[in-house]
Amino acid sequence: SCSLVRMPTLSDLGYNSIDIATSSIIDPRCALPSNYRGGESAALARVREYVWGKKDSLRTYFDTRNDLMGCDGSTKLAPWLACGCVSPRYVAGECRRYEEARVKNKSTYWVVFELLVRDYFRLFARKHGDTIFRQSGTAGRKRRHWDAPPSRFQAWKLGATGFPLVDATMRELASTGYASNRGRQVVCSFLSIDLNVDWRLGAEYFEEVLID
């Protein structure tokens, strides 16, 4: 049971003991900050570390944002943003403060720009609803013919396509619940264009495994 004063436990939500035990295990290969946790306190700590920390990571964001590995190439705030632990407005505000205190450059602009892009697509989805997932899309264009056998989709999910970059990204995703923005673009394009698999199958899988 739960109430306004009690959060439900994983057991309350129907998870078994094995699920609960494995939920707290963090794959050491994960590109997210070490020992990351949910909640507002952890989210604010990550903002402080990325914007104001010794590495001064915000200063070089534009040049490192597409790194496929490592913790500080990009903000890694997506899980906390997705769960409402920190607001895009707060992050943008910290970027503005950084510009006033240290430097205003392409990197500080780009973090805020990508927060706006994120909100744009959330509002786009809110406006169009499930038409996003119809074969003709929101524009009602001619349907594409998807003719790939199921084995192609399974190989993609398992990271067994034979293409190292695709396979490494999909294995990272399955093991950690995370993949870099550029990695996601690569595997999605590969699924729909090279394998000719209906992109909606990939979207469903992403919804299942991504923590953000």
Side-chain angles (χ1 to χ4, degrees), residues 119-150:
D119 275 0
Y120 168 80
F121 281 110
R122 291 178 70 86
L123 292 170
F124 183 90
R126 180 70 179 269
K127 174 182 178 181
H128 293 286
D130 63 5
T131 60
I132 292 174
F133 300 103
R134 295 175 187 171
Q135 284 193 344
S136 56
T138 59
R141 294 174 180 168
K142 184 179 179 180
R143 298 177 180 179
R144 176 168 177 166
H145 180 60
W146 309 101
D147 60 0

Side-chain angles (χ1 to χ4, degrees), residues 42-63:
L44 295 177
R46 175 57 183 173
V47 174
R48 287 193 300 271
E49 177 186 22
Y50 191 82
V51 176
W52 303 106
K54 293 180 180 179
K55 294 181 180 179
D56 203 15
S57 300
L58 178 56
R59 183 184 296 264
T60 57
Y61 171 80
F62 183 82
D63 298 314

Side-chain angles (χ1 to χ4, degrees), residues 26-165:
I26 299 175
D27 193 306
R29 299 168 296 176
C30 186
L32 291 171
S34 60
N35 298 316
Y36 70 90
R37 291 290 185 273
E40 183 184 30
S41 296
L44 295 177
R46 175 57 183 173
V47 174
R48 287 193 300 271
E49 177 186 22
Y50 191 82
V51 176
W52 303 106
K54 293 180 180 179
K55 294 181 180 179
D56 203 15
S57 300
L58 178 56
R59 183 184 296 264
T60 57
Y61 171 80
F62 183 82
D63 298 314
T64 62
R65 72 192 193 285
N66 289 321
D67 287 357
L68 298 176
M69 299 175 64
C71 168
D72 295 315
S74 60
T75 69
K76 302 297 190 297
L77 290 171
W80 289 292
L81 287 165
C83 294
C85 301
V86 68
S87 72
R89 179 175 292 183
Y90 177 81
V91 178
E94 289 299 282
C95 289
R96 298 294 183 234
R97 288 208 307 125
Y98 179 92
E99 289 177 336
E100 295 172 359
R102 295 189 182 176
V103 65
K104 180 178 182 179
N105 61 14
K106 201 169 187 177
S107 294
T108 58
Y109 167 84
W110 212 256
V111 169
V112 176
F113 172 77
E114 292 192 342
L115 288 170
L116 291 171
V117 170
R118 176 185 177 277
D119 275 0
Y120 168 80
F121 281 110
R122 291 178 70 86
L123 292 170
F124 183 90
R126 180 70 179 269
K127 174 182 178 181
H128 293 286
D130 63 5
T131 60
I132 292 174
F133 300 103
R134 295 175 187 171
Q135 284 193 344
S136 56
T138 59
R141 294 174 180 168
K142 184 179 179 180
R143 298 177 180 179
R144 176 168 177 166
H145 180 60
W146 309 101
D147 60 0
S151 58
R152 290 188 188 177
F153 178 59
Q154 289 303 315
W156 179 81
K157 282 178 60 176
L158 296 173
T161 66
F163 289 82
L165 177 57

Side-chain angles (χ1 to χ4, degrees), residues 9-25:
T9 66
L10 291 177
S11 180
D12 292 332
L13 297 174
Y15 291 94
N16 61 40
S17 58
I18 296 176
D19 293 331
I20 294 171
T22 57
S23 69
S24 61
I25 299 174

